[in-house]
Amino acid sequence: MKPAILIVGAGFAGATIARELADSGRYRVHVIDRREHIAGNAFDPVDAELKLRIHRYGPHIFHTNDQGIFDYLSRFTQWLPYTHKVQAWVENTGYVPLPINRLTINKIYRQQLTDEASVIAFLEKIRSHHENPANAQQIAENIFGPELTQLFFARYTQKMWDISLSQLPVEVLKRLPVRYDDNPNYFNDKIQAMPKHGYIGLFENMLDHPAISVTLNCEFVKSMAADYCHIFNSMPIDVYFDQQFGALPYRSIKFVHEHLNAHEQPVPTINFTDDGIYTRQTDWRQYPACDLGANSVLLTKEIPCDFAENHFERYYPVKTVDGAPQALYRRYRAEADKLPNMTFIGRCGQYIYYDMHQVVANSLKIAHTFLNK
Ligand code: UDP
């Protein structure tokens, strides 16, 4: 009998490693998940009545510049092209493109800047000049000036992360491109798409292998380890160690759904960058892969919150400029490194704000390192 591997969590990290080990022909792989479904936070069941596919844990838009990762996932799904677009709703102004571009600046400042050079010249007049900018606030102010920084980033960041923009690590803000032209797209990546039959379809195909078995509604307990030669574990690393050094901070999201007969919004996602409680609003019908013939509208608004306020559902690892959460993670990581038969994977196991393509890339690397040992 081939040796057995346990994978804790049927999200992108777990499913990728499960598939690679199964494809090697050397292992039997048992995937467990505490939830009643596969696909982790990418779970996107169809609401048969509304004829809409709804991402239960918030919109997941696949984007990457890594052709290899796209080709790998294309073994398990066809895609529908979708280039993500976001606009912000600004009081007294209306909808404006995000990331900030020429049209955003023209609308906010009632300008008629006609080209990139004039946008750059305009920003040069309003931007700050922090020498050696040390945080996301100063970096944003050096590009856009204090007013646009406050309008689009400071308040959104405060409600999203419950920390000030000056405490936000620079990498988080760098997720958003800086533009001076009219490009209305949220991401710059050359590959942008959504799985034709949903992330559910993609995960079903990934896990459909004679060497893979899946058990849902199954919580990991340490006594399971005895039956397996290795465990790949995507549970929160601090929870595995009974939070002995304290809880790692996470943000979570609550979703508020509104069913309407009709609704007009210019793009699928609207960001609310004001002081209100909501960050985003999604009109599911505008995503090609989610519209299965809907004749009404479902809007979903997002309210960020502490994970303890949302059934301990962890969505975003919170890192700060002062490095306190990162230091806490390193203490758990040091403990994890002492366990020869356990590898922590994914957003919660590695405490990394991964995008989907990044977690697949990292999980492929982990699987190949294990197979080449
Ligand atoms: N952000 C912001 N205003 C916006 C959009 C994003 O200040 O309108 C900041 C905020 O701190 C956010 C980060 O940029 O958490 C990353 O945004 P992204 O849209 O990538 O977040 P995700 O899609 O992962 O929730």
Side-chain angles (χ1 to χ4, degrees), residues 13 30 32 44 67 80 82 102-103 119 128 141 185 197 207 232 262 289 296 308 363 368:
H30 185 197
I32 61 169
D44 56 353
Q67 186 68 43
L80 289 180
Y82 168 68
R102 185 183 71 89
L103 302 169
V119 173
S128 309
E141 287 179 351
N185 302 331
H197 303 292
L207 295 170
F232 293 91
S296 59
S363 303
H368 297 160

Side-chain angles (χ1 to χ4, degrees), residues 183-201:
N183 183 347
N185 302 331
Y186 198 64
F187 305 115
N188 281 340
D189 303 60
K190 60 178 193 267
I191 302 166
Q192 301 190 37
M194 286 215 215
K196 186 170 178 188
H197 303 292
Y199 290 96
I200 290 185

Side-chain angles (χ1 to χ4, degrees), residues 172-191:
V172 176
L173 207 63
K174 283 206 175 135
R175 294 167 61 85
L176 309 187
V178 175
R179 305 237 166 84
Y180 307 108
D181 59 7
D182 292 4
N183 183 347
N185 302 331
Y186 198 64
F187 305 115
N188 281 340
D189 303 60
K190 60 178 193 267
I191 302 166

Side-chain angles (χ1 to χ4, degrees), residues 98 152-154 156-157 160-161 168 172-173 175-176 186 271 273 280 316 347 353 355:
L98 268 183
F152 291 110
F153 308 119
Y156 187 103
T157 293
M160 173 64 213
W161 295 99
L168 187 77
V172 176
L173 207 63
R175 294 167 61 85
L176 309 187
Y186 198 64
N271 279 17
T273 61
R280 289 193 281 224
Y316 295 87
R347 257 195 194 196
Y353 183 5
D355 284 338

Side-chain angles (χ1 to χ4, degrees), residues 282-316:
T282 299
D283 176 356
W284 296 101
R285 202 168 58 158
Q286 292 198 43
Y287 293 136
C290 295
D291 181 5
L292 307 175
N295 49 22
S296 59
V297 175
L298 190 78
L299 295 181
T300 300
K301 287 196 177 77
E302 299 179 32
I303 308 176
C305 60
D306 188 87
F307 71 101
E309 277 174 58
N310 191 27
H311 313 288
F312 297 94
E313 288 287 359
R314 294 161 168 86
Y315 290 8
Y316 295 87

